[in-house]
Amino acid sequence: MLNIERLNKTFAAPAGPIVALSNIRLQVEQGQFITFIGPSGCGKSTLLKIVAGIDTAYEGKVELNGKAITGPGVDKGFIFQEPRLFPWLNVEKNIAANLPLNNPQIRRQVDELIELVRLKGFEKAYPKELSGGMAQRVAIARALLRKPEILLLDEPFGALDAFTRAHLQEVLLDIWQNSKTTMLFVTHDLDEAVFLGEKVVIMNPRPGHIRNVIDIDLPYPRKRVGHSFQELRTRVLSEFEKVEQPPLVDQGAGI
Amino acid sequence: MQIMRHKLMFRAIHLLIGMLIPLAVLIIWQIASSNGWVNAVLIPPPKDILDEFGRMLASGELLTNLRISSWRAALGFLLGGGLGLVAGLWVGFSLKAERLLDPSLQLLRTLPHLAVAPLFILWFGFGETSKIILIAKGAFFPLYVNTFLGVRSVDRNLFDVARVLEFTRWQTITKLILPAAMPSIFLGIRLSIAVSWLGLVVAEMMGSSSGLGYIINDARSFSLTSVIFVGIIVFAIVGKVTDSLVRLAESRLLRWRDSIGGEG
């Protein structure tokens, strides 16, 4: 279980300190799928990096299973917006990375993961030969091989076209339902947030804070066209319309 | 099959296009010298150079001296290049080492071969030592500079990945920094080998009784221009062959590279 209490984060800037996160409080149960949405500067990526242990300069309590997060590690898998594969390793070696592929147990798990992320036949391909969507699936498999307690995804499908994105959303839900890994998924795409999450955390900037958490009580697999989906989508959207500034859609990775 | 044949044909055509200018130069040269338009002592006709080449090959003179020269160049390259690689890695990994070593090394880098050769001869005599050290001095710097650059230009984003995947310090070096630096290191190897041949010629011309540089220098004192040309041509061939070998190894080992394909 992930427990965040009274989390504050400030960045030093030439014009004085900027409050990136203000008094964040959030509890995530084991196996939940949480999506975070908000305009740029709302601190959603910063929050994810703190949970990952990549960013450790903060005030407050951030605990995973009762233990404070002190640094990055394989128990907190992280998927960046770009796949960040090692260009000199082929697909299966990228997934194994620093783990020995000649260990039969790891070999078997890598093969299973390649099956799971639907990359059979591309085991020996190099990153330059992969499409953006395929490369991101390799990155997901690389994180899953370490059996993370929690998987943190920072706008992982933001750079992909709409069809690939829809496909990967389904792949990710498949993985989640099979592995029951806790998922924290940051996005700026409203449909993506509602389609994936059991809860949608809506964040606002200046200072970055949680505005509201909306439960998405729809069974999986979800249909994007159904009446209830549209209803919930409208509810999330209306949360944004209460805030005049800044506009809903942000441009890129945020802070 | 059809595609393979097409590829071969294109390659042959490319090769022929590349040969056009050298062939034209040779033909004009031959005509000019056999008609007496140029001084045959200063610029002997290609036919004479070819005959000289055949004579030197048959007498064993060429191969014996080539072997000696190659041996010197190889030893100098291994010594200098090896140290350059180690120093480049060390300075690349450590900011302290960079502050300590890099200024001095950059200073030494600018010293020309010809300026230090007399010193090396005084210190180490006319034997093999002075020659190999002179070659090593040249071979050191390209590998040093490029290894250093390669280590420092590793994609920062991949370090975050290595941290998240819990790479040990050793794994970060062997599985991230070294592979990422390989393209730069290979460039350094190619440049170092080229500089080794340069250093060799200087070393053998300054004082030697064997080797290709000696042959050239000796021929100069007797105005045997065709021998000088043979020496130059052999240097060109050997240089090109070694460079092609390194590039072959490079293309095998760095197949992963996302190159723009300008070299094909």
Side-chain angles (χ1 to χ4, degrees):
Chain A
M1 185 183 115
L2 177 71
N3 184 27
I4 301 172
E5 280 175 38
R6 297 185 313 278
L7 169 64
N8 290 291
K9 162 90 189 168
T10 40
F11 285 112
I18 296 169
V19 180
L21 291 171
S22 162
N23 199 22
I24 303 288
R25 202 179 67 83
L26 186 71
Q27 259 93 38
V28 181
E29 299 297 328
Q30 173 71 39
Q32 274 190 320
F33 200 132
I34 313 286
T35 52
F36 295 77
I37 189 165
S40 56
C42 73
K44 55 195 194 301
S45 292
T46 309
L47 178 60
L48 212 60
K49 292 217 161 81
I50 288 174
V51 175
I54 296 172
D55 189 339
T56 50
Y58 60 85
E59 293 162 32
K61 193 156 103 174
V62 183
E63 291 179 343
L64 186 62
N65 295 329
K67 281 202 293 200
I69 291 169
T70 52
V74 289
D75 55 335
K76 306 173 288 288
F78 200 98
I79 308 295
F80 298 90
Q81 182 166 8
E82 333 79 55
R84 300 199 185 176
L85 303 180
F86 299 109
W88 50 88
L89 298 180
N90 63 26
V91 165
E92 56 184 24
K93 287 182 178 155
N94 252 296
I95 295 173
N98 57 336
L99 303 177
L101 202 53
N102 50 18
N103 174 327
Q105 203 185 340
I106 287 167
R107 175 81 252 178
R108 190 173 48 75
Q109 287 170 356
V110 168
D111 289 340
E112 282 170 13
L113 281 168
I114 286 173
E115 196 98 41
L116 185 68
V117 298
R118 307 179 198 171
L119 278 171
K120 198 118 192 60
F122 290 94
E123 294 89 342
K124 308 284 184 207
Y126 283 94
K128 67 169 179 183
E129 297 159 328
L130 303 176
S131 68
M134 291 162 89
Q136 199 56 287
R137 279 180 277 162
V138 177
I140 292 171
R142 179 171 67 184
L144 289 175
L145 178 64
R146 276 87 189 162
K147 301 210 167 50
E149 185 88 16
I150 186 165
L151 194 59
L152 308 156
L153 303 104
D154 188 8
E155 299 185 21
F157 308 147
L160 305 175
D161 64 85
F163 294 103
T164 314
R165 180 190 285 221
H167 168 67
L168 283 198
Q169 286 166 359
E170 272 157 34
V171 172
L172 187 66
L173 285 177
D174 251 21
I175 291 168
W176 172 58
Q177 276 159 348
N178 281 319
S179 64
K180 278 291 160 199
T181 308
T182 312
M183 301 274 184
L184 301 194
F185 189 108
V186 163
T187 180
H188 59 253
D189 178 333
L190 185 63
D191 285 308
E192 188 167 66
V194 177
F195 182 73
L196 291 174
E198 293 176 294
K199 286 174 193 285
V200 176
V201 176
I202 298 168
M203 293 183 71
N204 272 154
R206 270 164 277 208
H209 65 281
I210 294 177
R211 180 183 176 84
N212 204 347
V213 179
I214 293 180
D215 288 303
I216 309 295
D217 282 323
L218 293 174
Y220 297 91
R222 291 172 175 168
K223 294 263 178 295
R224 282 166 227 263
V225 286
H227 178 67
S228 36
F229 185 89
Q230 289 307 325
E231 213 168 277
L232 280 160
R233 187 185 182 283
T234 313
R235 243 194 90 194
V236 174
L237 188 58
S238 63
E239 281 297 321
F240 282 108
E241 280 169 351
K242 289 178 194 160
V243 200
E244 323 76 58
Q245 273 287 317
L248 168 65
V249 182
D250 79 15
Q251 312 285 324
I255 292 181
Chain B
M1 239 358 247
Q2 195 70 20
I3 293 168
M4 285 275 284
R5 205 172 298 160
H6 268 289
K7 264 194 171 169
L8 276 177
M9 220 173 73
F10 273 119
R11 274 198 165 174
I13 289 171
H14 285 164
L15 204 65
L16 280 177
I17 292 173
M19 297 293 282
L20 277 178
I21 290 175
L23 275 177
V25 169
L26 273 181
I27 291 167
I28 294 168
W29 182 356
Q30 180 68 43
I31 294 170
S33 47
S34 44
N35 287 332
W37 299 339
V38 292
N39 185 343
V41 176
L42 293 180
I43 305 178
K47 175 80 176 49
D48 291 11
I49 297 171
L50 195 69
D51 289 344
E52 186 62 47
F53 187 83
R55 192 193 59 74
M56 288 169 74
L57 205 61
S59 69
E61 186 187 353
L62 196 58
L63 286 181
T64 314
N65 286 294
L66 178 61
R67 198 179 308 128
I68 294 168
S69 288
S70 305
W71 181 240
R72 286 172 183 154
L75 271 183
F77 165 73
L78 287 177
L79 181 69
L83 285 173
L85 182 69
V86 171
L89 289 175
W90 190 29
V91 171
F93 284 127
S94 157
L95 273 175
K96 276 184 203 146
E98 182 191 354
R99 288 189 198 115
L100 178 72
L101 288 176
D102 195 54
S104 316
L105 289 174
Q106 295 298 342
L107 189 77
L108 290 176
R109 189 165 71 90
T110 57
L111 295 178
H113 278 321
L114 280 169
V116 292
L119 257 188
F120 281 7
I121 290 170
L122 278 175
W123 288 345
F124 306 108
F126 276 101
E128 295 300 302
T129 319
S130 62
K131 294 181 188 62
I132 286 162
I133 287 178
L134 191 70
I135 296 164
K137 175 224 154 243
F140 178 88
F141 293 102
L143 250 166
Y144 166 73
V145 170
N146 283 288
T147 305
F148 176 27
L149 273 180
V151 169
R152 285 296 168 86
S153 56
V154 180
D155 184 356
R156 285 184 65 90
N157 284 337
L158 289 180
F159 279 103
D160 277 345
V161 174
R163 283 175 66 205
V164 171
L165 296 182
E166 291 185 18
F167 275 35
T168 60
R169 186 165 167 71
W170 178 245
Q171 283 170 338
T172 307
I173 293 172
T174 56
K175 291 185 186 289
L176 173 57
I177 297 172
L178 282 183
M182 270 326 259
S184 289
I185 292 175
F186 261 106
L187 177 63
I189 290 175
R190 281 173 63 188
L191 294 173
S192 273
I193 289 177
V195 174
S196 296
W197 285 109
L198 290 181
L200 174 85
V201 180
V202 172
E204 289 184 342
M205 283 183 147
M206 293 295 285
S208 181
S209 50
S210 60
L212 284 174
Y214 161 76
I215 288 185
I216 292 177
N217 207 32
D218 191 48
R220 181 185 58 88
S221 29
F222 296 101
S223 293
L224 294 170
T225 16
S226 53
V227 176
I228 297 178
F229 271 103
V230 170
I232 290 170
I233 291 165
V234 170
F235 269 127
I237 293 170
V238 172
K240 178 71 188 142
V241 167
T242 43
D243 193 56
S244 300
L245 285 177
V246 179
R247 276 175 62 168
L248 188 71
E250 189 181 0
S251 65
R252 287 275 162 88
L253 286 168
L254 304 182
R255 208 174 301 174
W256 53 269
R257 242 195 321 179
D258 197 7
S259 67
I260 45 168
E263 291 192 2

